[in-house]
Amino acid sequence: MKTLQIFKPGKHTDVKGIVIDFTEDMLRACAAAYDPAKHEAPLVIGHPVKMEDPAYGWAKAVSYADGALVIDPDQVEPQFAEMVNAGRFKKISPSFYLPDSPNNPTPGQLYLRHIGFLGAAAPAVKGLKSASFADSEQGVVEFSDVAPWRTRSLATILRGIREMIISKFSIEEADRAVPDYLITDVESVPEASAIGAAYSEQPTETSMLTKEQEAAAAKLKSDQADLARREAEFAERESAVKASEEKTRREGIAAFVTALVKAGKILPRDEAGLVAYMAGPDETGVIEFGEGDDKKSVAPDAFLRAFLDGLPKQVDYQEHSAAEDLDVQTVSFAAPPGYSVDPARLEIHNKALAHQAKHKTTYEAALAAVQ
């Protein structure tokens, strides 16, 4: 996975109005001081304030190259990477421990705290490329000091979840889980009430969300859990339906082949193999039939070749003389005691069979023709 640019030297102002001049030496020292064993900076959405907020990846290493602070991302969650590559979180805001921060793992040095991916914030550090984890593009991130990221990101997430529910279920289900008015309320929160990127961690952390946002986030969490439960139930029902349909299909195939055996059209030895062939191969591409020592696993085409090769001759395309056509094999009859077979009638019977085979007609028509 390619490296990501996250910060450049210069004077930058955080959301609290604090202006700090980040020199190249400071950033080089920050890169040199980074040690995942002391504190591994997580890749997060926005700037979380709770320890239980999820991490979607980690900064394995930090370096200074091409005039910017750079990280090597590691263990990036695949779905999060897809969202970033799709442009859902194009901008990134790094958070730093200041040298005098009481929580700084390396006191006296600037230290990277986390890398927050933003959904709609304007960058404060210009000239950085858009973030991407795609191998075909150079992934970069930007520092942002715009406050409205939290409400916009929350609204973006809510919109995405609502659209997903609509695509999988219906608008009615979406209205029950994530009503449109709830998203509108989040979008209407004044920008000044949202908190953006911060340079240092405060000794005593306080909630950065309004009561309305906290209520919306709590409802969102509950709705997500409910949606996950419904999706699991739906998947379970769908799996059961598919299993029932497959069972019915195989039973129909078995009944059809059994009828062919009873009608004398195929041999009993081929019954199990033909059922397995018609049912289709398994995930390994073979068909299995038989039991115990007689169990066989063969490729479908190999079975079909053997089956067709064992069929009796249906049509004789060789040329024959008229005498050969009439020279059919005689039939022997075991007449009961006191009875005998009329040779003349047996000859007529044999001629009728020969005529029937040659002209592809009924036995009655052939009998009338030779008499």
Side-chain angles (χ1 to χ4, degrees), residues 43-258:
L43 276 60
V44 296
I45 294 178
H47 289 277
V49 297
K50 297 179 180 179
M51 295 181 63
E52 62 268 26
D53 286 335
Y56 298 95
W58 303 89
K60 181 171 63 175
V62 180
S63 59
Y64 187 88
D66 298 328
L69 198 63
V70 177
I71 66 165
D72 292 333
D74 187 35
Q75 296 178 313
V76 179
E77 205 277 330
Q79 292 181 341
F80 176 68
E82 290 179 3
M83 295 178 69
V84 173
N85 293 338
R88 300 294 294 274
F89 298 97
K90 296 177 67 175
K91 311 301 178 184
I92 298 184
S93 168
S95 177
F96 297 96
Y97 289 106
L98 290 177
D100 58 352
S101 171
N103 298 301
N104 192 330
T106 57
Q109 298 278 6
L110 189 70
Y111 197 91
L112 182 63
R113 180 190 178 198
H114 66 243
I115 304 95
F117 282 70
L118 309 182
V125 180
K126 310 299 181 183
L128 297 177
K129 300 175 184 178
S130 297
S132 174
F133 291 107
D135 290 337
S136 59
E137 299 179 5
Q138 287 188 345
V140 297
V141 294
E142 296 182 16
F143 175 81
S144 172
D145 61 357
V146 179
W149 72 266
R150 186 173 292 276
T151 51
R152 292 176 181 173
S153 295
L154 181 59
T156 299
I157 295 172
L158 289 172
R159 287 285 181 199
I161 293 174
R162 179 178 172 82
E163 291 171 5
M164 180 184 68
I165 297 174
I166 292 175
S167 65
K168 288 192 173 183
F169 298 99
S170 64
I171 295 179
E172 290 74 16
E173 290 290 332
D175 287 338
R176 280 193 287 269
V178 188
D180 188 75
Y181 71 83
L182 176 63
I183 305 175
T184 302
D185 289 343
V186 175
E187 292 173 335
S188 65
V189 174
E191 294 187 352
S193 65
I195 303 299
Y199 290 114
S200 61
E201 184 179 72
Q202 300 299 317
T204 304
E205 295 180 337
T206 58
S207 175
M208 291 187 177
L209 295 176
T210 64
K211 291 183 178 180
E212 292 80 4
Q213 288 176 304
E214 289 179 347
K219 187 177 188 308
L220 174 60
K221 186 175 181 180
S222 174
D223 292 339
Q224 286 176 322
D226 185 58
L227 176 61
R229 176 184 57 79
R230 280 191 251 177
E231 285 183 339
E233 292 176 352
F234 177 78
E236 185 177 355
R237 289 196 300 268
E238 187 176 25
S239 177
V241 170
K242 288 183 178 180
S244 177
E245 291 176 346
E246 178 63 17
K247 180 181 178 182
T248 301
R249 186 178 75 89
R250 285 181 172 269
E251 289 176 348
I253 292 173
F256 172 75
V257 176
T258 300

Side-chain angles (χ1 to χ4, degrees), residues 348 351-353 355-356 361-371:
I348 292 174
K351 289 181 179 180
L353 291 178
H355 184 89
Q356 180 185 13
T361 183
T362 63
Y363 178 80
E364 290 78 6
L367 185 63
V370 299
Q371 282 182 332

Side-chain angles (χ1 to χ4, degrees), residues 20-31 99 109-110:
I20 299 179
D21 186 8
F22 288 84
T23 65
E24 180 177 333
D25 290 340
M26 288 176 63
L27 297 185
R28 287 185 180 277
C30 177
Q109 298 278 6
L110 189 70

